[in-house]
Amino acid sequence: MLLLQFSTSHYCRKVRLALGYKKIAFAVENLTPGAHWLRVKPLTGLSTVPVLLPQQAGEPEAIADSTAIFHYLEQICPEPSWQCGDRTLQTQVDLLEDWLDESIGTATRFVYYHFRAGAGKNIDPSLSSQMVIQVVRWQYGITEAAVKQAQLRLEQGMVILSQWQDQPYLVGHQLTLADLTAAALLSPLALIPEYRQSYPWLFSRIEEIHHHCGEPLPPGL
């Protein structure tokens, strides 16, 4: 299998965690933001990553969107499963994953790239890195006002996720898509000192899940 990705994308990290959890061998092809659509749009009709290429006869040529990739992986490799046996618990997992994808993942992106363009610029001040950061900021409309809203959304989100302080899983008694998604989509915050200091329990869980899935730790951990 081949994963088309941005090396710094937390949504691509989500898929890498899933592949690692399933113990599925894969390679990655790192694309350049802005020029990536030349590679992915002919395959999916979209201009977003991650995109998974199964590269096997009888399988889809390409699968776009992290959630769709999760469903595909569960279908072809049922064990180890990340599905809850209880329907009520699985509904909670599905709702959490959707909320993390649509709200928290977006908020993390805004806060992270705002940090990298300002106080965190020294992490990689190279021209190429800063150009990518500015492209992302322009592409997603990352403004001061939008960042303030994102920071508030993350603050509220931490209240919901605070159960991770006292239990290893967000739902039930096993690792689920909710855990994988949270571990991936909040991982960029590891580079921001205020989040590391305020939510040490979050990064402990992120580390545990990365170790479990055999994925290298995100920058900052």
Side-chain angles (χ1 to χ4, degrees), residues 125-140:
S126 67
L127 179 61
S128 59
S129 175
Q130 291 303 309
M131 284 182 64
V132 168
I133 289 169
Q134 293 307 319
V135 166
V136 173
R137 284 167 57 84
W138 171 81
Q139 180 180 3
Y140 291 105

Side-chain angles (χ1 to χ4, degrees), residues 190-210:
L191 280 171
I192 305 179
E194 64 185 273
Y195 287 97
R196 288 293 303 275
Q197 294 164 9
S198 299
Y199 307 105
W201 52 267
L202 171 66
F203 300 101
S204 293
R205 293 291 180 236
I206 289 175
E207 285 190 27
E208 290 168 8
I209 290 171
H210 277 70

Side-chain angles (χ1 to χ4, degrees), residues 13 27 46 72 89 130 146-147 163-164 170 173 179 187-188 205:
R13 179 176 293 276
L46 303 172
Y72 171 75
L89 291 180
Q130 291 303 309
V147 169
Q163 59 190 305
W164 244 359
L170 287 172
H173 303 288
D179 301 297
S187 64
R205 293 291 180 236

Side-chain angles (χ1 to χ4, degrees), residues 50-193:
V51 174
L52 184 67
L53 310 183
Q55 298 181 314
Q56 296 180 17
E59 298 295 333
E61 180 184 12
I63 305 163
D65 182 76
S66 59
T67 301
I69 292 170
F70 272 32
H71 291 320
Y72 171 75
L73 295 178
E74 183 73 4
Q75 181 182 23
I76 66 166
C77 184
E79 297 296 335
S81 179
W82 47 49
Q83 295 286 329
C84 293
D86 183 280
R87 181 171 294 182
T88 300
L89 291 180
Q90 186 58 46
T91 298
Q92 293 179 30
V93 169
D94 294 340
L95 289 172
L96 267 176
E97 188 208 356
D98 184 67
W99 168 70
L100 288 160
D101 269 350
E102 301 302 325
S103 181
I104 297 304
T106 300
T108 298
R109 177 192 287 133
F110 276 50
V111 170
Y112 172 75
Y113 281 101
H114 176 72
F115 171 76
R116 288 293 310 276
K121 187 175 182 178
N122 63 337
I123 292 172
D124 185 353
S126 67
L127 179 61
S128 59
S129 175
Q130 291 303 309
M131 284 182 64
V132 168
I133 289 169
Q134 293 307 319
V135 166
V136 173
R137 284 167 57 84
W138 171 81
Q139 180 180 3
Y140 291 105
I142 300 177
T143 63
E144 291 282 350
V147 169
K148 288 181 180 179
Q149 291 181 336
Q151 290 170 333
L152 178 60
R153 202 184 312 166
L154 284 176
E155 184 179 340
Q156 295 168 339
M158 294 302 178
V159 176
I160 296 173
L161 297 173
S162 63
Q163 59 190 305
W164 244 359
Q165 295 183 75
D166 304 313
Q167 61 189 52
Y169 308 115
L170 287 172
V171 179
H173 303 288
Q174 67 176 85
L175 186 145
T176 68
L177 292 183
D179 301 297
L180 293 175
T181 304
L185 298 191
L186 290 161
S187 64
L189 301 179
L191 280 171
I192 305 179

